[in-house]
Amino acid sequence: MKKAVLFFTLLCLVLFQSCQKEAEIREKDYPYLITTEVSDITNTSVVFNGKIISTGNEEIIEYGFLWDTSEPEIETANKIALNNPANIGSYSAKISSNLIKDTEQLVRAYLKTNNLLVYGNTIKFTSNGGLPAEITEIIPLKGYSSSKAVIKGNNFGNDKNEVAIYFGDKTVPVDSCSNNRIVFRVPDIDTDIEEYITISIYNKQVKSNHKFRAFTYWKKTYNMSGNSRFGATAFSLNNVGYVCFGKQPYGDEFNDLFALNPETNSWSRKADFPGNPRAFSVACVIENIAYLGFGSGGDTYYHDLWSYETETDKWTKVLEDDRIKTHSDAYFVLNNELYIFSQGGSYKYSPASNEFTEIDRFPGDYRFFTSGVNCDGLGYLIAGQRPGNKLLKDLWCYDPTSNTWTKKADLPGSNRDGIACFAISNKIYAGLGGIWGGEHLDFYEYSPSIDTWVRVQNFPGDKRELPVSFTICNKGYLGTGRKNITDVLNDFWEFNPDKE
């Protein structure tokens, strides 16, 4: 194909430059054509002209013109294909888009058969510009940061590099462009915005008739009371979030407990945990009672489990079980029972019997600094760190009815530990994490029904590892964590995927 293109291009140039007498140009058994001068240049259009010299013995399946600011190529140049049958003789096309005002461009005729691509010679021209772009519809007229939307209309051109889209004063990323369709992504924003969309194409601008509503997933809330920390644990109950335990780098562990009320966006301190201060522990809710415990302090592992009643602000020791030791290991609650997957084995706790029962081991790699979550009656275990600082990003699903594990699609992006993770409306949201303070800001939505991850808006705060996270009223909350080996955080953020 490339040799055929080069051969016919050179042949056409020779014919055009050295012999313009039609009587001397004879019909050949191959098709070829020439480009003639551009005509009728106005403020909104130009006319391209060409001439088919020979149709040859192959059927011409497409013909027309290519134009660009450099040598036009079929794969990259602007193109117009004519609908009329290809016959020997002159043909023309009026062009009113993809024309750059006061800039030199090149045009050439072309034709295609089933076996050949034939270029004509190139002609230089300078236009006065084309028709401005026209916006007829934007679908949808709202979206979250990083989501896609489509602009329909006319005179957009085919080169997305010549298209600039603005949402207010923010530049909008363009995914793709054709003459009547542009796909763009909603830009990152730190607050919800409603603005007109402006398109600038070839130095001409057009504004949408309707405003576009852009949402952000994230909103910063009040910092958590008390010390900054990482390796804390958290739960939510009766529309209030609770954060307990944790530690500072090279420092002591904590036994304090704080409550977040989203309605008032305020924190209050609750009764301190009466056991040993600790980090990397367990916290869950079963039948409106919180259960917290295990974890470690320094080199000491703790084997105690406590209950906490939010209405009375009282702690009660439930049991000790020396088999269980946790280091931010995965756990979740299913059918009012707590499942823990620790380095000592896999166990299930039932409040009715107040005992742990050993169950089949998790079939994947043992890991710590990992995350577990309940979503629509199934348990999920995500990412983590194997001994030896080996990071993971695998996703496993546990079905308590059949007592079986199924490996699912990996969390996108890099391997990581210490992620933030919560479930909202039968979907899982996860991201951040890394190692030694976190390396990532990316965040993802997982749909269990189709086993698919989709990237959503990046987290706008600091990178971090080992934050806490929980859900209240279909909103996710995350905060604390460490952003490097020595710096820890106490900021808190709200994640809302249901503003539309």
Side-chain angles (χ1 to χ4, degrees), residues 171-188:
T171 302
V172 176
V174 178
D175 266 22
S176 63
C177 178
S178 65
N179 200 48
N180 56 14
R181 187 174 186 268
I182 298 173
V183 179
F184 70 92
R185 290 184 179 271
V186 181
D188 280 342

PDB file of all heavy atoms in Angstrom, residues 171-188:
ATOM      1  N   THR A 171     -10.269  24.886  32.159  1.00  0.00           N
ATOM      2  CA  THR A 171     -10.066  24.166  30.902  1.00  0.00           C
ATOM      3  C   THR A 171     -10.571  22.740  31.039  1.00  0.00           C
ATOM      4  O   THR A 171     -10.327  22.080  32.050  1.00  0.00           O
ATOM      5  CB  THR A 171      -8.585  24.154  30.518  1.00  0.00           C
ATOM      6  OG1 THR A 171      -8.126  25.499  30.411  1.00  0.00           O
ATOM      7  CG2 THR A 171      -8.371  23.444  29.193  1.00  0.00           C
ATOM      8  N   VAL A 172     -11.278  22.266  30.018  1.00  0.00           N
ATOM      9  CA  VAL A 172     -11.905  20.947  30.052  1.00  0.00           C
ATOM     10  C   VAL A 172     -11.103  19.978  29.183  1.00  0.00           C
ATOM     11  O   VAL A 172     -10.811  20.284  28.022  1.00  0.00           O
ATOM     12  CB  VAL A 172     -13.358  21.032  29.533  1.00  0.00           C
ATOM     13  CG1 VAL A 172     -13.993  19.659  29.471  1.00  0.00           C
ATOM     14  CG2 VAL A 172     -14.168  21.969  30.418  1.00  0.00           C
ATOM     15  N   PRO A 173     -10.732  18.805  29.704  1.00  0.00           N
ATOM     16  CA  PRO A 173     -10.024  17.815  28.875  1.00  0.00           C
ATOM     17  C   PRO A 173     -10.918  17.274  27.768  1.00  0.00           C
ATOM     18  O   PRO A 173     -12.084  16.946  28.001  1.00  0.00           O
ATOM     19  CB  PRO A 173      -9.664  16.707  29.878  1.00  0.00           C
ATOM     20  CG  PRO A 173      -9.812  17.327  31.233  1.00  0.00           C
ATOM     21  CD  PRO A 173     -10.873  18.371  31.104  1.00  0.00           C
ATOM     22  N   VAL A 174     -10.373  17.191  26.541  1.00  0.00           N
ATOM     23  CA  VAL A 174     -11.109  16.675  25.381  1.00  0.00           C
ATOM     24  C   VAL A 174     -10.625  15.259  25.096  1.00  0.00           C
ATOM     25  O   VAL A 174      -9.438  15.019  24.872  1.00  0.00           O
ATOM     26  CB  VAL A 174     -10.895  17.564  24.147  1.00  0.00           C
ATOM     27  CG1 VAL A 174     -11.632  16.985  22.941  1.00  0.00           C
ATOM     28  CG2 VAL A 174     -11.371  18.980  24.432  1.00  0.00           C
ATOM     29  N   ASP A 175     -11.554  14.299  25.094  1.00  0.00           N
ATOM     30  CA  ASP A 175     -11.197  12.908  24.809  1.00  0.00           C
ATOM     31  C   ASP A 175     -11.116  12.645  23.310  1.00  0.00           C
ATOM     32  O   ASP A 175     -10.192  11.992  22.834  1.00  0.00           O
ATOM     33  CB  ASP A 175     -12.226  11.963  25.440  1.00  0.00           C
ATOM     34  CG  ASP A 175     -11.800  11.486  26.811  1.00  0.00           C
ATOM     35  OD1 ASP A 175     -10.963  12.179  27.430  1.00  0.00           O
ATOM     36  OD2 ASP A 175     -12.289  10.444  27.274  1.00  0.00           O
ATOM     37  N   SER A 176     -12.126  13.114  22.566  1.00  0.00           N
ATOM     38  CA  SER A 176     -12.155  12.868  21.116  1.00  0.00           C
ATOM     39  C   SER A 176     -13.007  13.930  20.446  1.00  0.00           C
ATOM     40  O   SER A 176     -13.806  14.615  21.093  1.00  0.00           O
ATOM     41  CB  SER A 176     -12.709  11.474  20.813  1.00  0.00           C
ATOM     42  OG  SER A 176     -14.048  11.357  21.256  1.00  0.00           O
ATOM     43  N   CYS A 177     -12.829  14.042  19.126  1.00  0.00           N
ATOM     44  CA  CYS A 177     -13.552  15.072  18.376  1.00  0.00           C
ATOM     45  C   CYS A 177     -13.817  14.604  16.956  1.00  0.00           C
ATOM     46  O   CYS A 177     -12.930  14.061  16.294  1.00  0.00           O
ATOM     47  CB  CYS A 177     -12.731  16.365  18.359  1.00  0.00           C
ATOM     48  SG  CYS A 177     -13.488  17.700  17.412  1.00  0.00           S
ATOM     49  N   SER A 178     -15.041  14.776  16.508  1.00  0.00           N
ATOM     50  CA  SER A 178     -15.390  14.657  15.099  1.00  0.00           C
ATOM     51  C   SER A 178     -16.154  15.920  14.719  1.00  0.00           C
ATOM     52  O   SER A 178     -16.398  16.778  15.570  1.00  0.00           O
ATOM     53  CB  SER A 178     -16.243  13.411  14.842  1.00  0.00           C
ATOM     54  OG  SER A 178     -17.499  13.532  15.493  1.00  0.00           O
ATOM     55  N   ASN A 179     -16.546  16.049  13.464  1.00  0.00           N
ATOM     56  CA  ASN A 179     -17.125  17.309  13.013  1.00  0.00           C
ATOM     57  C   ASN A 179     -18.435  17.655  13.721  1.00  0.00           C
ATOM     58  O   ASN A 179     -18.799  18.819  13.819  1.00  0.00           O
ATOM     59  CB  ASN A 179     -17.355  17.273  11.501  1.00  0.00           C
ATOM     60  CG  ASN A 179     -17.491  18.664  10.916  1.00  0.00           C
ATOM     61  OD1 ASN A 179     -16.692  19.551  11.198  1.00  0.00           O
ATOM     62  ND2 ASN A 179     -18.536  18.867  10.114  1.00  0.00           N
ATOM     63  N   ASN A 180     -19.134  16.649  14.238  1.00  0.00           N
ATOM     64  CA  ASN A 180     -20.418  16.929  14.893  1.00  0.00           C
ATOM     65  C   ASN A 180     -20.530  16.347  16.297  1.00  0.00           C
ATOM     66  O   ASN A 180     -21.623  16.280  16.851  1.00  0.00           O
ATOM     67  CB  ASN A 180     -21.586  16.419  14.038  1.00  0.00           C
ATOM     68  CG  ASN A 180     -21.461  14.937  13.716  1.00  0.00           C
ATOM     69  OD1 ASN A 180     -20.669  14.222  14.327  1.00  0.00           O
ATOM     70  ND2 ASN A 180     -22.221  14.493  12.736  1.00  0.00           N
ATOM     71  N   ARG A 181     -19.365  15.938  16.891  1.00  0.00           N
ATOM     72  CA  ARG A 181     -19.436  15.312  18.212  1.00  0.00           C
ATOM     73  C   ARG A 181     -18.106  15.485  18.945  1.00  0.00           C
ATOM     74  O   ARG A 181     -17.047  15.162  18.417  1.00  0.00           O
ATOM     75  CB  ARG A 181     -19.768  13.829  18.056  1.00  0.00           C
ATOM     76  CG  ARG A 181     -20.033  13.070  19.346  1.00  0.00           C
ATOM     77  CD  ARG A 181     -20.498  11.661  18.999  1.00  0.00           C
ATOM     78  NE  ARG A 181     -20.906  10.915  20.171  1.00  0.00           N
ATOM     79  CZ  ARG A 181     -20.097  10.128  20.883  1.00  0.00           C
ATOM     80  NH1 ARG A 181     -18.833  10.006  20.518  1.00  0.00           N
ATOM     81  NH2 ARG A 181     -20.545   9.473  21.936  1.00  0.00           N
ATOM     82  N   ILE A 182     -18.183  15.981  20.179  1.00  0.00           N
ATOM     83  CA  ILE A 182     -16.999  16.107  21.029  1.00  0.00           C
ATOM     84  C   ILE A 182     -17.277  15.382  22.342  1.00  0.00           C
ATOM     85  O   ILE A 182     -18.324  15.577  22.960  1.00  0.00           O
ATOM     86  CB  ILE A 182     -16.667  17.583  21.328  1.00  0.00           C
ATOM     87  CG1 ILE A 182     -16.344  18.342  20.043  1.00  0.00           C
ATOM     88  CG2 ILE A 182     -15.490  17.686  22.292  1.00  0.00           C
ATOM     89  CD1 ILE A 182     -16.174  19.836  20.253  1.00  0.00           C
ATOM     90  N   VAL A 183     -16.340  14.545  22.753  1.00  0.00           N
ATOM     91  CA  VAL A 183     -16.424  13.873  24.050  1.00  0.00           C
ATOM     92  C   VAL A 183     -15.423  14.543  24.983  1.00  0.00           C
ATOM     93  O   VAL A 183     -14.238  14.654  24.660  1.00  0.00           O
ATOM     94  CB  VAL A 183     -16.108  12.370  23.930  1.00  0.00           C
ATOM     95  CG1 VAL A 183     -16.178  11.707  25.309  1.00  0.00           C
ATOM     96  CG2 VAL A 183     -17.073  11.700  22.960  1.00  0.00           C
ATOM     97  N   PHE A 184     -15.902  15.018  26.137  1.00  0.00           N
ATOM     98  CA  PHE A 184     -15.021  15.700  27.080  1.00  0.00           C
ATOM     99  C   PHE A 184     -15.209  15.123  28.477  1.00  0.00           C
ATOM    100  O   PHE A 184     -16.164  14.381  28.748  1.00  0.00           O
ATOM    101  CB  PHE A 184     -15.290  17.215  27.092  1.00  0.00           C
ATOM    102  CG  PHE A 184     -16.604  17.616  27.708  1.00  0.00           C
ATOM    103  CD1 PHE A 184     -16.702  17.939  29.060  1.00  0.00           C
ATOM    104  CD2 PHE A 184     -17.755  17.695  26.928  1.00  0.00           C
ATOM    105  CE1 PHE A 184     -17.906  18.323  29.621  1.00  0.00           C
ATOM    106  CE2 PHE A 184     -18.967  18.077  27.483  1.00  0.00           C
ATOM    107  CZ  PHE A 184     -19.044  18.385  28.838  1.00  0.00           C
ATOM    108  N   ARG A 185     -14.281  15.448  29.347  1.00  0.00           N
ATOM    109  CA  ARG A 185     -14.352  15.016  30.739  1.00  0.00           C
ATOM    110  C   ARG A 185     -14.580  16.232  31.641  1.00  0.00           C
ATOM    111  O   ARG A 185     -13.971  17.287  31.438  1.00  0.00           O
ATOM    112  CB  ARG A 185     -13.071  14.298  31.161  1.00  0.00           C
ATOM    113  CG  ARG A 185     -12.911  12.932  30.507  1.00  0.00           C
ATOM    114  CD  ARG A 185     -11.687  12.199  31.025  1.00  0.00           C
ATOM    115  NE  ARG A 185     -11.559  10.910  30.408  1.00  0.00           N
ATOM    116  CZ  ARG A 185     -12.110   9.788  30.857  1.00  0.00           C
ATOM    117  NH1 ARG A 185     -12.835   9.839  31.965  1.00  0.00           N
ATOM    118  NH2 ARG A 185     -11.945   8.649  30.238  1.00  0.00           N
ATOM    119  N   VAL A 186     -15.431  16.065  32.609  1.00  0.00           N
ATOM    120  CA  VAL A 186     -15.685  17.139  33.570  1.00  0.00           C
ATOM    121  C   VAL A 186     -14.398  17.403  34.347  1.00  0.00           C
ATOM    122  O   VAL A 186     -13.756  16.468  34.833  1.00  0.00           O
ATOM    123  CB  VAL A 186     -16.824  16.757  34.534  1.00  0.00           C
ATOM    124  CG1 VAL A 186     -17.093  17.883  35.524  1.00  0.00           C
ATOM    125  CG2 VAL A 186     -18.084  16.414  33.748  1.00  0.00           C
ATOM    126  N   PRO A 187     -13.951  18.651  34.445  1.00  0.00           N
ATOM    127  CA  PRO A 187     -12.666  18.938  35.090  1.00  0.00           C
ATOM    128  C   PRO A 187     -12.724  18.723  36.595  1.00  0.00           C
ATOM    129  O   PRO A 187     -13.800  18.681  37.203  1.00  0.00           O
ATOM    130  CB  PRO A 187     -12.436  20.419  34.762  1.00  0.00           C
ATOM    131  CG  PRO A 187     -13.817  20.977  34.587  1.00  0.00           C
ATOM    132  CD  PRO A 187     -14.621  19.870  33.957  1.00  0.00           C
ATOM    133  N   ASP A 188     -11.553  18.579  37.197  1.00  0.00           N
ATOM    134  CA  ASP A 188     -11.478  18.490  38.653  1.00  0.00           C
ATOM    135  C   ASP A 188     -11.868  19.828  39.268  1.00  0.00           C
ATOM    136  O   ASP A 188     -11.386  20.883  38.855  1.00  0.00           O
ATOM    137  CB  ASP A 188     -10.055  18.127  39.089  1.00  0.00           C
ATOM    138  CG  ASP A 188      -9.781  16.637  38.951  1.00  0.00           C
ATOM    139  OD1 ASP A 188     -10.751  15.871  38.857  1.00  0.00           O
ATOM    140  OD2 ASP A 188      -8.602  16.253  38.925  1.00  0.00           O
TER     141      ASP A 188
END
